[in-house]
Amino acid sequence: MSDEPAPPLAEAPLGPEAYAPPSAPPEGVQRQRLHPLTPLLESFRFLTAAAAAAGIQAFTSRNFLFAIYIALAAAVVGGIASLIALQYRGFVIWGRELHIYGGVFTRSHRTVPLDRLQSVDLVRPIRARLFGLAQLNIEVAGGDGTDAKLAYLKADRALELRAELLAIAGRPAADPPPEAPEGEAPDRDAGLLVPQVTVKRLALASLLEALPVQITAVAVFGTAFAVTGSIFGFSTVATTLWVGFFAPALLGYLQSTVAMVNRFLRNGRFRIGRDGGNLLVQRGLTDTSHETVPVDRVTGVSFDEPVMWRSRRWRRVEVWTAAVAQQSATAVKSTTALPVGEPHEVAIVAAAAVPDLPSVFETSRPPRRARWRLPLAWKQTGAALTERAFVVRHGLWVNTHVALPYARIQSVKVTQGRIQRMQGLATVRALAAGGLGHDAVALHRDVREAVAMASELRDRADAAAALERPRLS
């Protein structure tokens, strides 16, 4: 055991020095109300389904009067329910806390400590944009994803409330971009880290990302149909395959197409800038959002490279934050910092998310005796300890580099399965600060290398965390 003293910790963790327990506002404090259309907008999908069912019924039975009665009844019931729900919904800012009230039969009262506020994102679904409304998604450090939301408010009121909440938390909102001089056209890329992603590039990238899986599925089904048809007869095989394979495959194709379109719509008009210690992300064609990513809470960066992007040298950049990393493993989400970009754009965004973080890495592959365990992805698997971060590489269709800064590593462990033990292999796993789902895994390393790598990771993580001011808690 070493006699050297452990490196000193930072003077204080990130966050308030002391946290007082929440206290409810006194009786008689006026609650601020949400917009009257809120209940109807929240039940939009249900109302759409009801309208579709009534329309189908009217078309099949030729009884259009019935559809009118159903629509009137739904409008009356929906209006009454909205009026009742609005009486119990609202919010109050009391001291350094946000109190959110809701519920009709089951009352709820949520308290959001603004001292721990991490971000307030402005989101405008298309159904809300039609009425000039917006919602606020509120995240606090140590929470489980989006801790609370205020939906819906008038867009200008939502902006004012967002600025007020951020000011109370000591995270002032970003200043508006400077206006162009008189007589000159405004520069859409002013104040951005990289130019706005064009619609043409985003559409092509979305198509190329989905193409390999679809082409592979067509090839597999086509080959199976040709072989079995030549043996058993094409008419018999066609009927059997349609029921057993083609119909489910068609559903899968539709889901893949919908996912591709949603990805395109979600990242349309993508813009990323930086204001002080925050990354500011704006995106969306139908549903728009304005997201804030605090740089001091970024725990990792990943770089995705789908197989059909490689000839164009395109990559996607995603960042992890402490609050997002604390969601359950099945619901983990990261923030897209660049949906598709050239090498120089990727480098700029990576350095903005984690200072001095490079965007190109050299990783070493697992030993050749582990190749049979990763027959297709062995060449795309690797790990490296760089000057700034622990980097791992994995994936076949989408090759991904995960960079975990040493200061954000919370724990390191070495695992070894029974077959790995027989081969003299082990896996190194570094967990990011925040918890489940987001970690860097170096698969199937030589056991001596794995032990040495884990030891070096612990030393570098302790040293980097000791130098951090303030330290991420």
Side-chain angles (χ1 to χ4, degrees):
M1 181 178 254
S2 175
D3 295 332
E4 295 182 5
L9 297 178
E11 296 176 359
L14 181 65
E17 295 182 0
Y19 173 63
S23 58
E27 294 292 335
V29 175
Q30 185 67 32
R31 297 180 187 176
Q32 300 187 50
R33 302 293 181 185
L34 302 176
H35 195 273
L37 292 178
T38 293
L40 293 179
L41 290 176
E42 289 187 339
S43 58
F44 175 78
R45 292 181 180 177
F46 170 77
L47 295 176
T48 302
I56 293 173
Q57 176 67 22
F59 180 79
T60 55
S61 64
R62 302 295 179 180
N63 187 357
F64 296 99
L65 196 59
F66 173 77
I68 295 176
Y69 289 152
I70 290 293
L72 290 175
V76 172
V77 173
I80 295 175
S82 299
L83 292 175
I84 295 175
L86 283 174
Q87 302 306 311
Y88 301 99
R89 300 188 65 171
F91 62 96
V92 173
I93 300 176
W94 184 255
R96 302 184 66 82
E97 295 172 347
L98 171 66
H99 298 264
I100 303 176
Y101 302 88
V104 178
F105 298 106
T106 302
R107 305 287 178 83
S108 65
H109 174 196
R110 302 187 64 182
T111 302
V112 180
L114 298 181
D115 283 334
R116 299 171 59 191
L117 186 68
Q118 178 165 293
S119 65
V120 182
D121 299 332
L122 182 73
V123 181
R124 302 190 67 190
I126 187 169
R127 60 182 180 273
R129 292 174 62 190
L130 295 174
F131 300 97
L133 305 180
Q135 77 177 40
L136 296 179
N137 291 341
I138 303 168
E139 291 186 354
V140 296
D144 185 11
T146 300
D147 295 290
K149 68 177 182 179
L150 294 175
Y152 292 90
L153 301 163
K154 276 290 187 181
D156 53 353
R157 173 57 183 148
L159 287 171
E160 293 175 0
L161 181 60
R162 177 177 180 270
E164 183 179 355
L165 295 176
L166 291 172
I168 294 175
R171 293 181 177 271
D175 295 328
E179 298 183 358
E182 187 175 353
E184 295 184 13
D187 184 3
R188 70 173 188 175
D189 296 331
L192 301 182
L193 288 175
V194 295
Q196 178 178 315
V197 178
T198 62
V199 173
K200 179 180 178 181
R201 178 189 290 184
L202 185 60
L204 180 59
S206 301
L207 178 63
L208 291 178
E209 185 174 4
L211 207 55
V213 175
Q214 296 187 347
I215 292 176
T216 302
V218 169
V220 170
F221 281 110
T223 303
F225 179 71
V227 172
T228 55
S230 63
I231 298 174
F232 302 103
F234 286 99
S235 58
T236 303
V237 172
T239 303
T240 304
L241 287 181
W242 173 257
V243 175
F245 296 99
F246 288 155
L250 180 60
L251 179 60
Y253 262 81
L254 291 176
Q255 291 176 339
S256 175
T257 303
V258 169
M260 178 182 67
V261 173
N262 285 339
R263 190 183 304 115
F264 169 75
L265 295 177
R266 183 173 62 252
N267 291 317
R269 297 177 183 168
F270 186 94
R271 298 159 59 90
I272 181 169
R274 180 159 182 172
D275 177 70
N278 297 323
L279 295 178
L280 308 177
V281 177
Q282 304 176 32
R283 59 179 172 178
L285 290 177
T286 52
D287 297 356
T288 64
S289 66
H290 295 69
E291 304 171 55
T292 303
V293 180
V295 173
D296 57 6
R297 298 199 69 84
V298 172
T299 61
V301 182
S302 66
F303 306 85
D304 297 332
E305 189 178 33
V307 64
M308 296 195 71
W309 288 12
R310 294 170 195 172
S311 61
R312 300 173 180 270
R313 301 178 67 198
W314 289 349
R315 285 192 293 170
R316 175 172 53 243
V317 183
E318 297 193 357
V319 297
W320 312 341
T321 56
V324 171
Q326 289 180 350
Q327 302 181 78
S328 64
T330 58
V332 167
K333 292 183 180 179
S334 52
T335 301
T336 300
L338 186 65
V340 55
E342 302 280 355
H344 68 281
E345 297 171 337
V346 171
I348 293 173
V349 173
V354 177
D356 302 323
L357 179 70
S359 60
V360 179
F361 310 95
E362 291 290 337
T363 59
S364 61
R365 299 170 183 165
R368 283 191 171 273
R369 61 182 182 275
R371 188 166 188 168
W372 69 273
R373 305 177 68 103
L374 305 163
L376 299 178
W378 181 76
K379 290 186 177 180
Q380 283 77 40
T381 302
L385 275 70
T386 68
E387 182 179 351
R388 189 74 175 85
F390 177 47
V391 179
V392 298
R393 182 186 183 192
H394 59 82
L396 180 61
W397 291 113
V398 179
N399 194 230
T400 300
H401 284 81
V402 175
L404 215 60
Y406 295 122
R408 299 301 190 238
I409 294 177
Q410 181 168 286
S411 64
V412 181
K413 63 180 179 179
V414 179
T415 59
Q416 188 180 51
R418 186 168 300 176
I419 298 178
Q420 281 184 317
R421 191 178 305 120
M422 295 171 59
Q423 290 188 280
L425 302 175
T427 294
V428 180
R429 184 183 299 271
L431 278 70
L436 301 174
H438 277 160
D439 47 27
V441 183
L443 294 169
H444 310 309
R445 313 302 297 187
D446 181 86
V447 66
R448 294 183 181 85
E449 179 194 5
V451 172
M453 181 183 291
S455 177
E456 182 68 17
L457 273 175
R458 293 187 187 98
D459 291 341
R460 295 192 184 193
D462 288 342
L467 295 174
E468 192 178 40
R469 298 289 194 275
R471 188 180 182 186
L472 179 66
S473 57

